[in-house]
Amino acid sequence: MKAAVNKIISFSNVDGPGNRCSIFFQSCPFRCLYCHNPETINMCVNCGECVKTCPVQALQMVDGKVVWDKKLCVECDTCIKTCKHLASPRISWMSVEDVVEHIKSIKPFIRGITVSGGECMNHADFLLELFKETKKLGLTCLIDSNGYYDFEDYPELMAVCDGVMLDVKAISDDFHYFVTEQHNAMVLKNLRTLLAMHKLEEVRTVILPGYEDENTKTVTGVSEIIKSECRYKLLKYRYFGVRDAGVKVFGEGIVSHDELVRCQKICEEHGCSTSVII
């Protein structure tokens, strides 16, 4: 069994408690306008345009497919800036054993792993085997998810998972669809399900500029559901890395601090005292 891994960050202190190894898988069912990793959304279609622009010839066309030479790559990101398909040619097809070997090499320095993406639940079978092996090392396993898949359908995975970090983009289904091109009924179901299962590590919402009414609806709705049962991260919209379509909608800048403080007060008013501004 192999999965498409976009990258591995060996040491991260923003992807769950403690120092963690963050593993980013390729592909996602959402098309978020403000996605900060838009090159993780789709799989490479092997059009070859990135091969033409690579300044160090780290990409080649072989039998109709783009092949990446990791040793030659200087990670200049020219390929993902060239790509018009929200994809990346810099993918490693890794087995569970491959990933575990990397985890073992840094085990003394981390508390656990966090799987992300893209949407890591696109690779749920792989995650189950990876978590089983990682737990044998005495490490914790967290899932960073957009909530597209029903977690109740994965009891074995939930049994070995220590928690889920769930994104709630919007409470309003219309606005959620506008932002992601997907509806949010499953996301909200997962919010309640994970809370009841005691598997909700944290909830996160990006606070957006120019959409104060939607911000209010979302932080109010989430706060009323989770109360203070888990941490609620209010994330600043930042235009860095956002794809062009998102910048056209939300602008070049960072959401105002006043709007973040306003949203945090709304959380407190609706029973959530665990919100933090990030």
Side-chain angles (χ1 to χ4, degrees), residues 164-168 171 187-196 198-205 218-234 266-268 270-276:
V164 177
M165 300 154 65
L166 185 69
D167 291 335
V168 179
I171 285 288
V187 179
L188 299 182
K189 178 183 184 295
N190 279 318
L191 180 63
R192 293 179 170 87
T193 297
L194 292 168
L195 191 63
H198 303 290
K199 292 286 187 177
L200 193 60
E201 176 69 25
E202 70 180 30
V203 181
R204 296 173 302 189
T205 296
T218 301
V219 298
T220 297
V222 171
S223 296
E224 289 177 343
I225 293 170
I226 68 172
K227 298 301 182 182
S228 296
E229 294 298 315
C230 68
R231 181 166 57 179
Y232 187 17
K233 282 186 178 179
L234 307 180
I266 291 172
C267 292
E268 294 172 358
H270 291 272
C272 178
S273 61
T274 55
S275 65
V276 293

Side-chain angles (χ1 to χ4, degrees), residues 24 62 128 149 168 175 194-195 235 237 243 248 263:
F24 294 80
V62 179
L128 175 59
Y149 293 96
V168 179
F175 190 65
L194 292 168
L195 191 63
L235 305 178
Y237 165 80
R243 60 193 178 105
K248 287 179 182 178
C263 288

Side-chain angles (χ1 to χ4, degrees), residues 125-142:
D125 291 341
F126 187 95
L127 299 188
L128 175 59
E129 298 308 314
L130 175 62
F131 282 13
K132 286 178 180 178
E133 295 303 313
T134 301
K135 298 292 279 190
K136 292 177 184 177
L137 301 176
L139 300 173
T140 58
C141 301
L142 297 179

Side-chain angles (χ1 to χ4, degrees), residues 70-83:
K70 191 174 184 177
K71 292 180 180 178
L72 291 178
C73 182
V74 295
E75 298 186 11
C76 63
D77 289 350
T78 300
C79 54
I80 61 176
K81 292 173 183 175
T82 299
C83 183

Side-chain angles (χ1 to χ4, degrees), residues 13-39:
N13 58 11
V14 296
D15 294 307
N19 203 19
R20 310 191 69 78
C21 174
S22 296
I23 303 153
F24 294 80
F25 291 85
Q26 188 72 15
S27 74
C28 182
F30 282 11
R31 301 290 182 269
C32 297
L33 287 171
Y34 54 71
C35 180
H36 284 76
N37 301 296
E39 72 278 3

Side-chain angles (χ1 to χ4, degrees), residues 12-231:
S12 170
N13 58 11
V14 296
D15 294 307
N19 203 19
R20 310 191 69 78
C21 174
S22 296
I23 303 153
F24 294 80
F25 291 85
Q26 188 72 15
S27 74
C28 182
F30 282 11
R31 301 290 182 269
C32 297
L33 287 171
Y34 54 71
C35 180
H36 284 76
N37 301 296
E39 72 278 3
T40 67
I41 291 177
N42 292 321
M43 299 301 295
C44 176
V45 298
N46 297 299
C47 68
E49 289 301 311
C50 58
V51 176
K52 302 174 185 177
T53 60
C54 180
V56 294
Q57 288 76 54
L59 300 171
Q60 295 183 13
M61 289 296 294
V62 179
D63 297 329
K65 293 185 177 182
V66 177
V67 176
W68 172 48
D69 188 330
K70 191 174 184 177
K71 292 180 180 178
L72 291 178
C73 182
V74 295
E75 298 186 11
C76 63
D77 289 350
T78 300
C79 54
I80 61 176
K81 292 173 183 175
T82 299
C83 183
K84 298 178 181 179
H85 304 285
L86 303 178
S88 171
R90 291 168 14 206
I91 302 303
S92 298
W93 286 93
M94 302 181 71
S95 67
V96 171
E97 292 75 18
D98 293 333
V99 180
V100 170
E101 281 304 307
H102 180 81
I103 295 168
K104 285 180 178 178
S105 72
I106 57 173
K107 178 181 176 291
F109 310 103
I110 60 174
R111 186 183 298 184
I113 69 168
T114 299
V115 292
S116 187
E119 173 51 44
C120 59
M121 286 297 291
N122 274 1
H123 312 274
D125 291 341
F126 187 95
L127 299 188
L128 175 59
E129 298 308 314
L130 175 62
F131 282 13
K132 286 178 180 178
E133 295 303 313
T134 301
K135 298 292 279 190
K136 292 177 184 177
L137 301 176
L139 300 173
T140 58
C141 301
L142 297 179
I143 292 173
D144 175 358
S145 176
N146 60 30
Y148 177 82
Y149 293 96
D150 190 343
F151 282 100
E152 285 192 311
D153 290 341
Y154 302 91
E156 285 188 85
L157 180 59
M158 287 295 96
V160 291
C161 170
D162 292 287
V164 177
M165 300 154 65
L166 185 69
D167 291 335
V168 179
K169 316 288 186 183
I171 285 288
S172 163
D173 186 54
D174 288 343
F175 190 65
H176 191 277
Y177 192 86
F178 167 68
V179 170
T180 71
E181 296 185 19
Q182 295 287 352
H183 295 287
N184 71 349
M186 184 55 66
V187 179
L188 299 182
K189 178 183 184 295
N190 279 318
L191 180 63
R192 293 179 170 87
T193 297
L194 292 168
L195 191 63
M197 294 169 62
H198 303 290
K199 292 286 187 177
L200 193 60
E201 176 69 25
E202 70 180 30
V203 181
R204 296 173 302 189
T205 296
V206 176
I207 305 302
L208 298 166
Y211 288 87
E212 289 77 12
D213 288 347
E214 296 298 339
N215 293 338
T216 297
K217 291 177 188 176
T218 301
V219 298
T220 297
V222 171
S223 296
E224 289 177 343
I225 293 170
I226 68 172
K227 298 301 182 182
S228 296
E229 294 298 315
C230 68
R231 181 166 57 179

